[in-house]
Amino acid sequence: MAGALSHAGYVTPGALRGNETNPKGFFEPRWVVQLHKELLKRSGMLALDPDPEGLAIVAERALRDGLRDEVRSWLEARFEESPQLVLKDPRLIWFLDLWTGAARDLGVEPGSVVMLRHPAEVTASRSAYYDARDVAAVAGWINVATLTEQVTRSARTVVHYPDLLADWRVQFERIGADLGARFEPAIDQRPHPVDELIDPALRRMSPDWEQVAAPRWLRDLAERTYQALLRESNGEQVDPAEFDALRTEYLEDWHAAIGMTQVERRRTIRKAERRATRAATAAASAAVGEPERRGVRDRASSAARKLLGR
């Protein structure tokens, strides 16, 4: 989608080059990607993080003073080069308020194009290319999908990825109608630069729950979330209360899972504490006395608890 927009009058500033996994290019601004990676690393969050408190965690641990000014300055310089920008990054949802606020400071009202792919397809892709575990990947998809739905309600178009590959012009007509997007050349021009980019072979994974090692209840919730978003991508007006109910169900499941694993979590923390204590004590035993060794053990135990705190 970002590549198609970049061939229809929009600019992806400083885009990353393609590689063997994505030879046509990622169409992601390098500066934006590097900023988001730094902020997510600082917060300990993942791009598709399953934690429903993710936005609060990012705000508390990663957002620094002056960041909005920095983003606004970067945007302002890019707008001097082009009045129409497309910013794509898989991590963008965690910082959408930051970018929306900076854009509005500059008198620009942004809109969101939400790309929809089946959660089994996304999970297979992440397992193949990012070594993600299926349960966490499915949970992360549900969390990010329902969160994205919530924070983009004011101005968005949901586009089903296979529909984009099948007929990109139909999807661009919807984007133009929903978000007021303007395209150059006009989408009715034939041939069009986007025609050279769109290729059905860009879809390398197929949706198949049988190949996903996740519990049935989690797959069921992911499927129902996907189906609701799919209906919206087909032009149906989906009641926001339906999306809210899906989000609430995920929150309940998340807290239930945390509760069920508390005992094992405590065991894991205690094991880590004991290993860290033994290693630190062994390293210090030849050089320090008993009071110092106790201090080493206490610090090692505290470090282990912090390490496993989330």
Side-chain angles (χ1 to χ4, degrees):
M1 172 58 75
L5 290 170
S6 295
H7 285 70
Y10 283 78
V11 171
T12 301
L16 292 169
R17 295 180 179 178
N19 60 23
E20 64 278 2
T21 68
N22 199 344
K24 294 202 174 189
F26 290 91
F27 298 96
E28 298 172 2
R30 181 180 300 275
W31 189 87
V32 175
V33 169
Q34 290 176 340
L35 174 66
H36 291 171
K37 281 185 175 181
E38 171 203 331
L39 297 175
L40 280 188
K41 182 178 181 180
R42 185 181 306 168
S43 66
M45 293 287 293
L46 305 172
L48 282 183
D49 201 291
D51 194 332
E53 300 299 325
L55 283 179
I57 293 171
V58 169
E60 178 184 354
R61 300 182 184 178
L63 302 187
R64 58 180 185 265
D65 292 341
L67 183 58
R68 179 156 161 171
D69 293 339
E70 184 180 345
V71 167
R72 182 173 57 247
S73 296
W74 184 88
L75 264 182
E76 188 172 25
R78 305 292 86 73
F79 278 129
E80 290 176 358
E81 301 168 3
S82 172
Q84 297 196 136
L85 302 179
V86 54
L87 304 183
K88 174 237 174 179
D89 179 30
R91 310 159 193 84
L92 183 60
I93 188 61
W94 304 111
F95 310 101
L96 189 62
D97 281 350
L98 174 67
W99 287 96
T100 299
R104 287 172 177 162
D105 290 346
L106 299 172
V108 176
E109 187 62 34
S112 298
V113 179
V114 179
M115 294 305 301
L116 177 64
R117 292 172 63 199
H118 194 279
E121 186 178 353
V122 175
T123 298
S125 177
R126 295 189 66 78
S127 296
Y129 295 105
Y130 300 99
D131 195 28
R133 294 184 177 180
D134 287 359
V135 173
V138 176
W141 185 93
I142 299 170
N143 185 42
V144 170
T146 54
L147 175 63
T148 299
E149 189 285 322
Q150 278 191 341
V151 301
T152 60
R153 285 181 185 176
S154 61
R156 72 156 178 255
T157 302
V158 178
V159 176
H160 193 212
Y161 185 61
D163 292 342
L164 175 69
L165 299 183
D167 193 340
W168 67 267
R169 286 181 172 83
V170 171
Q171 304 310 315
F172 271 45
E173 286 178 4
R174 295 179 56 238
I175 294 170
D178 293 345
L179 304 178
R182 301 182 304 276
F183 306 113
E184 180 63 36
I187 61 175
D188 58 359
Q189 175 177 306
R190 297 176 187 270
H192 193 285
V194 176
D195 293 325
E196 299 298 319
L197 177 77
I198 298 294
D199 177 4
L202 291 172
R203 190 180 187 188
R204 296 186 289 267
M205 300 294 178
S206 59
D208 184 359
W209 279 124
E210 294 305 314
Q211 298 182 16
V212 176
R216 185 178 293 108
W217 60 266
L218 189 64
R219 290 183 294 173
D220 174 69
L221 179 54
E223 182 67 32
R224 286 185 283 118
T225 302
Y226 166 77
Q227 291 295 335
L229 288 166
L230 182 63
R231 282 157 41 212
E232 181 173 327
S233 76
N234 290 330
E236 182 178 335
Q237 293 291 329
V238 182
D239 189 343
E242 181 176 344
F243 288 118
D244 290 340
L246 291 165
R247 179 74 179 169
T248 298
E249 184 176 345
Y250 178 72
L251 293 176
E252 292 172 349
D253 289 343
W254 168 265
H255 290 298
I258 294 295
M260 287 187 290
T261 58
Q262 277 185 343
V263 173
E264 180 60 27
R265 184 182 177 86
R266 292 192 189 100
R267 291 194 188 109
T268 301
I269 292 175
R270 285 197 291 269
K271 288 179 182 178
E273 288 176 342
R274 287 195 292 268
R275 285 196 299 268
T277 298
R278 285 195 297 266
T281 302
S285 61
V288 299
E290 180 58 30
E292 289 81 1
R293 282 199 294 272
R294 283 198 298 269
V296 169
R297 288 195 295 268
D298 291 343
R299 289 193 295 273
S301 177
S302 176
R305 285 195 298 270
K306 287 181 180 179
L307 179 64
L308 296 166
R310 276 196 67 222

